[in-house]
Amino acid sequence: MPESAEEIYARVVAAVGAGGRLPMPPVDEWDIFPWEVVDGRLAPRVVEPPLAAEEPRRGVDGVDCVPCAGEGDAVRIWENDRWKLVHPPRPGGLPLVLWLMSKEHMDYADMSDELAAEYGRLSVWLCRIIERMEHVGRVHVCRYGDGSEHLHVWFFARPARLPHLLGSLVIEWNEMLPPVPEDVWRDDLRYVATRLAHHDGWSLV
Ligand SMILES: [Zn+2]
C-alpha cells in the first residue's frame, strides 16, 4: 500500500526538519526549464529563434533503440504479446512511476486501430488499479515522445492530500521528495502487475 500523506510528510520532516526545504534539483541546468532568476525574481526564459530542424530523437527507426534491445536500466514487471509495463531502476518520491511501452518499435501515432484500442483498455485498467490503491490521489497519464521515439506512455501516481502536489508539476516532486522506501515500492509494483494480469497478460514479479 502506498504511504499516506502523513507518512510522506514525516519522511520530509525527518530529512529537513519541520518547515525545512528539500534540496534543490539542478533545474537551472535543464534546457527545457522555462524560468530563470532575473534581478532576484523568477522570469520566463527568453524565447530563442527557431532551429533549422528538430533535434533527432533517440532510437529513430529502431536504430540504437534501448526499448527494442530490452529495458536498459528499467525493469519489466508485466507483459502481454504486444505491450510491456516497466519501472525506473529506483524509487522516486511519488508512490509509482511506470511506463507502458509497445514491444514493437513504433511511435505513438503509428498505432493501428486495434493496438490503440488495446492501449486504451490497458491505460484505463492501469489508472483504475492504481487510483483505487489507498493514499493515491490521481494517476497522471502523459505521452511526450520528445526524447525517445519508441512508443512509451508515463503513468505518474501522486499521493492524496499533499498540498502543491497537483497538476503537471507533480513530476518535479518525484525528484525532490525523499524516495519511497524500497519495500513499500516493491509491494506496490507487485500489486499493480498482479492486478493487471487479472485482466490480461502476465505479471513478472
Ligand atoms: Zn524501439
Side-chain angles (χ1 to χ4, degrees):
M1 178 197 309
E3 293 180 300
S4 67
E6 286 76 13
E7 288 171 311
I8 295 171
Y9 181 68
R11 281 194 297 106
V12 172
V13 171
V16 296
R21 290 183 195 278
L22 291 163
M24 184 69 180
V27 291
D28 54 329
E29 297 170 14
W30 299 351
D31 288 342
I32 58 172
F33 192 66
W35 302 284
E36 58 189 340
V37 176
V38 178
D39 298 331
R41 295 173 64 98
L42 209 53
R45 277 217 170 135
V46 174
V47 176
E48 295 182 7
L51 303 169
E54 288 261 331
E55 292 285 327
R57 295 181 293 173
R58 293 188 300 278
V60 172
D61 296 331
V63 177
D64 294 331
C65 177
V66 171
C68 278
E71 276 77 55
D73 291 339
V75 179
R76 189 185 307 198
I77 58 170
W78 172 95
E79 66 181 350
N80 70 7
D81 290 336
R82 293 156 301 280
W83 297 92
K84 54 186 178 178
L85 185 66
V86 307
H87 64 74
R90 284 170 297 282
L94 295 179
L96 288 171
V97 175
L98 296 164
W99 297 291
L100 182 63
M101 315 179 96
S102 57
K103 286 189 170 175
E104 187 183 340
H105 185 92
M106 69 180 74
D107 203 346
Y108 190 90
D110 296 335
M111 275 189 274
S112 65
D113 286 356
E114 292 74 22
L115 203 61
E118 188 177 38
Y119 160 73
R121 286 194 297 276
L122 290 169
S123 172
V124 171
W125 286 332
L126 271 174
C127 280
R128 190 181 295 145
I129 290 165
I130 301 170
E131 287 191 354
R132 286 181 179 174
M133 295 172 83
E134 199 161 359
H135 307 310
V136 170
R138 198 91 56 218
V139 175
H140 296 171
V141 183
C142 306
R143 181 266 180 169
Y144 304 108
D146 287 338
S148 168
E149 183 179 83
H150 194 117
L151 197 174
H152 62 290
V153 179
W154 296 77
F155 291 77
F156 300 105
R158 72 156 177 83
R161 298 184 297 106
L162 271 180
H164 315 307
L165 270 70
L166 292 170
S168 63
L169 292 178
V170 159
I171 184 175
E172 314 313 335
W173 287 99
N174 190 54
E175 308 288 328
M176 293 188 286
L177 291 168
V180 173
E182 182 97 12
D183 57 331
V184 173
W185 182 61
R186 295 212 173 274
D187 280 352
D188 293 342
L189 289 168
R190 196 174 306 114
Y191 176 83
V192 171
T194 305
R195 295 292 298 186
L196 187 58
H198 288 174
H199 294 281
D200 191 356
W202 311 277
S203 169
L204 304 174
V205 285

